[in-house]
Amino acid sequence: MKGKIRTGVLVGILSISLVTPLQAHAYQEPTDYVHMKTSNMIVYSAYGAKINASEKGDTFSIKATIVNNRQPLEIEIFKNGKDGILKQVAKKGVMEPVAYRDLGDRVIATIHNSAELKFVNPQPIYFRDTDNSVYSSYISTLAERGIVQGRTADYFGVNDSLTRAQFSALLARAYSFQPVQATQFKDINAKKSWYGGYVGALHSLGIIKGKSQNLFDPNGKITRQQAILMLGRTLDAVDFVQEKFVSLPYQDSFNLQEEALHHTQTLYAIGALNDNMNLLPNQMISRGEFAKMLAVSLEAAGRL
């Protein structure tokens, strides 16, 4: 599916292809794949999913026969006076982020399972440690959508590192992947862990791997190269294709293996990586750095 991405502060206009079989923008009402309409919503599927969509009050409900996270639905919702941030209602009424791009009079959301969506007014957000950070705008954008949260109400932790569990949750929630139980890892309690479903979703897509066949190491820290690998694999999983590349400026990039080099080139080309002299791939990535990488990749993939 080809779509237009708005010009923003994060990246410029990029050509994308989320789902190859779709050949038109959602709002042009293509007829070569499954779609269902309500008064203010159109739901599209390139995979022949059975769709049941409805509106009740301020809630947009979508029920569909989705097999796995590789079969997304694209939902176009006309605002018609509605304001706020689009979110999805999780279990027990908890509001979770949803991947979407705002086109002014409508939004285009991407989900990977049945969902209830609604516009909500976000709470004011201020992180005292982001004022002078180069990552401030990326953090603010993601925080407003509910994709990232601070370490406390007013402290983001720009320079703090990320654990493998935290990274998995951020990435899966940002791309609206549906949780999958991570039963293969003995060090993840499927019933009690808050991150197990996110790890399982990424593992099922080939995005993240364990430290061994049976161990995930949820408290281990994420290096810059590992973040690049997993974010690059995520773009592959949502069918993003970067057609033009530029030379890497990093003096230490010759050490990168084939897959790592490919994903580094992709992320650098879309503007997700910094223009430093060295990449320092084995250095732990900070929360601020990853916020930039995540925000830019979401916009490149048409999800922000």
Side-chain angles (χ1 to χ4, degrees):
M1 178 182 353
K2 295 181 180 178
K4 292 183 179 179
I5 303 176
R6 63 181 175 80
T7 302
V9 297
L10 303 181
V11 293
I13 296 176
L14 298 169
S15 296
I16 65 167
S17 176
L18 290 181
V19 183
T20 303
L22 311 190
Q23 298 298 324
H25 303 304
Y27 49 86
Q28 293 176 331
E29 299 189 21
T31 58
D32 58 347
Y33 55 95
V34 178
H35 64 281
M36 182 175 180
K37 297 182 181 180
T38 63
S39 298
N40 297 291
M41 175 174 59
I42 309 175
V43 184
Y44 303 90
S45 171
Y47 299 95
K50 183 179 179 181
I51 300 169
N52 183 3
S54 62
E55 298 178 44
K56 185 176 181 180
D58 60 354
T59 302
F60 300 87
S61 298
I62 303 99
K63 294 182 179 180
T65 54
I66 302 297
V67 176
N68 56 49
N69 275 310
R70 291 192 181 275
Q71 298 185 0
L73 297 177
E74 187 163 277
I75 298 106
E76 178 183 14
I77 300 177
F78 292 84
K79 292 182 179 178
N80 285 339
K82 296 180 181 66
D83 196 13
I85 303 300
L86 188 69
K87 289 195 174 184
Q88 57 181 326
V89 184
K91 294 181 179 179
K92 299 180 181 180
V94 176
M95 304 303 295
E96 290 281 353
V98 61
Y100 74 94
R101 60 188 184 274
D102 194 328
L103 301 181
D105 65 333
R106 76 201 75 194
V107 297
I108 306 293
T110 304
I111 63 174
H112 295 261
N113 209 333
S114 301
E116 290 187 347
L117 309 174
K118 62 190 306 182
F119 289 96
V120 299
N121 292 317
Q123 297 294 319
I125 298 170
Y126 171 70
F127 297 125
R128 54 185 167 81
D129 61 326
T130 64
D131 286 345
N132 298 318
S133 172
V134 296
Y135 305 115
S136 177
S137 62
Y138 306 107
I139 294 168
S140 296
T141 297
L142 296 178
E144 183 181 60
R145 291 284 184 92
I147 294 171
V148 300
Q149 298 176 348
R151 303 300 295 269
T152 65
D154 66 345
Y155 178 78
F156 181 74
V158 177
N159 298 315
D160 294 352
S161 57
L162 284 165
T163 67
R164 288 166 58 82
Q166 293 167 343
F167 182 94
S168 300
L170 280 173
L171 191 54
R173 292 172 74 241
Y175 278 85
S176 298
F177 293 137
Q178 291 300 312
V180 177
Q181 288 300 329
T183 56
Q184 62 273 46
F185 298 122
K186 295 180 179 179
D187 55 350
I188 295 180
N189 188 315
K191 294 183 178 180
K192 296 182 179 180
S193 71
W194 58 269
Y195 53 83
Y198 302 126
V199 173
L202 298 183
H203 187 267
S204 70
L205 291 167
I207 293 170
I208 199 167
K209 300 176 182 178
K211 285 289 188 176
S212 67
Q213 185 175 354
N214 299 315
L215 295 177
F216 180 70
D217 186 22
N219 296 317
K221 300 297 177 64
I222 290 288
T223 66
R224 190 172 286 118
Q225 179 169 313
Q226 290 168 341
I228 290 171
L229 275 171
M230 287 182 273
L231 194 51
R233 290 169 184 164
T234 300
L235 289 175
D236 285 347
V238 299
D239 296 326
F240 173 80
V241 177
Q242 176 62 29
E243 296 181 350
K244 294 183 179 180
F245 295 91
V246 293
S247 299
L248 294 175
Y250 310 119
Q251 294 182 359
D252 54 356
S253 60
F254 65 89
N255 289 320
L256 298 176
Q257 299 300 313
E258 184 176 354
E259 184 187 14
L261 177 61
H262 169 71
H263 292 314
T264 302
Q265 289 172 328
T266 296
L267 294 179
Y268 183 76
I270 66 174
L273 301 180
N274 295 333
D275 282 312
N276 297 327
M277 183 177 295
N278 289 299
L279 180 64
L280 302 176
N282 296 320
Q283 189 175 87
M284 301 305 171
I285 194 166
S286 71
R287 285 164 55 85
E289 284 180 285
F290 185 60
K292 174 183 178 179
M293 291 170 60
L294 188 57
V296 173
S297 72
L298 282 167
E299 186 158 6
R303 299 186 177 213
L304 186 63

